[in-house]
Amino acid sequence: RAEGEEMDNKIPKEKVQRWSRPQMKDQEGGEDKTLINSIIRAIELLNLYDKDTKALGITELAKLMGLHKSSVHRIVKTLEYMGWLEQDPVTSKYKLGMKIMDVGSTLLKIYDHHDIINQGMRELMLQVHETIVLSTYTDLCGICVDVIEAENHITYTSKLGHKTPVCSGATGKTLLAWQSEEEIQRVIGCGLRRYTPNTITDEGALRRDLQKIRSRGYALSFEETDPGVGAVGAPIFDGQ
């Protein structure tokens, strides 16, 4: 068999040509001649790898990209030469090389965590046109560690260091929902204060709401802590 060609050439239909190339247009709508097609194809190939696709053979890559195997082979060998791909000596398939990790490590040194998080929050604000607040859990309450304010005429705002209750509101209940049972009981044991008529002050009702939040992955609230304020909260578990 050819170098890098897998024994079983059957590929699930949903994976065939799953990478869709963006339109290469200039500002006037014509073909953008400043782009290098071979580099685009190499990046397209690298983008085919994910947590579920760790190794691919030449035939698989050709089918996924819609290219001839000879063309894919040249791309693969070039990426292998530069350290971006490595060939498995047992299966002859190709996997991501250590150069990827080197570049990722450099990226983390250039951009600290705050820069990365702040950029994501700003992009979300531009999508929903609402204030985005990042909070963390500490000592029975939530505390604001970053905020991107929307440019609306009427908007809710928060300040760095502002503390929020974790028994009410989307932010607080999101922070509380994934705490340990011991921590949840400790918070409830301090009392369920009523901030508005919509605040949940019954332990059973709060626990059912927390379970619902965990099941669907996000929290909703309307006037639970502040009158006239509605919110959506979602947890961030790690860098992904």
Side-chain angles (χ1 to χ4, degrees), residues 50-67:
D50 54 33
K51 64 181 180 66
D52 298 317
T53 307
K54 298 180 180 180
L56 291 165
I58 297 296
T59 300
E60 288 174 314
L61 289 166
K63 287 184 177 180
L64 290 170
M65 299 182 70
L67 298 174

Side-chain angles (χ1 to χ4, degrees), residues 17-165:
Q17 295 191 29
R18 63 181 178 182
W19 176 257
S20 178
R21 175 182 298 179
Q23 293 294 320
M24 298 182 293
K25 302 292 184 180
D26 59 20
Q27 294 181 350
E28 298 179 354
E31 181 181 358
D32 192 341
K33 297 181 179 179
T34 64
L35 303 180
I36 301 175
N37 195 54
S38 60
I39 296 179
I40 292 175
R41 285 183 172 177
I43 295 174
E44 286 178 347
L45 188 149
L46 293 174
N47 283 331
L48 291 173
Y49 291 88
D50 54 33
K51 64 181 180 66
D52 298 317
T53 307
K54 298 180 180 180
L56 291 165
I58 297 296
T59 300
E60 288 174 314
L61 289 166
K63 287 184 177 180
L64 290 170
M65 299 182 70
L67 298 174
H68 292 295
K69 288 196 290 184
S70 59
S71 298
V72 172
H73 185 265
R74 289 194 297 271
I75 297 172
V76 166
K77 298 309 290 183
T78 302
L79 290 171
E80 182 185 19
Y81 175 77
M82 297 302 297
W84 291 80
L85 288 179
E86 294 178 359
Q87 188 176 31
D88 189 305
V90 177
T91 66
S92 294
K93 292 187 177 184
Y94 293 88
K95 57 186 179 181
L96 294 178
M98 295 303 295
K99 185 63 178 178
I100 298 284
M101 187 174 294
D102 290 341
V103 174
S105 177
T106 301
L107 185 65
L108 290 176
K109 294 176 182 177
I110 296 174
Y111 300 101
D112 62 27
H113 289 92
H114 179 267
D115 292 331
I116 297 172
I117 293 172
N118 192 269
Q119 179 181 345
M121 292 175 64
R122 191 170 300 278
E123 291 174 354
L124 181 58
M125 183 274 290
L126 293 175
Q127 290 179 23
V128 301
H129 304 289
E130 297 291 348
T131 296
I132 307 300
V133 177
L134 179 67
S135 299
T136 188
Y137 181 84
T138 177
D139 194 23
L140 304 177
C141 68
I143 185 169
C144 176
V145 295
D146 202 357
V147 58
I148 301 295
E149 295 187 5
E151 298 178 355
N152 296 334
H153 293 295
I154 300 177
T155 184
Y156 171 82
T157 187
S158 184
K159 300 297 182 182
L160 295 180
H162 173 74
K163 293 183 178 181
T164 184

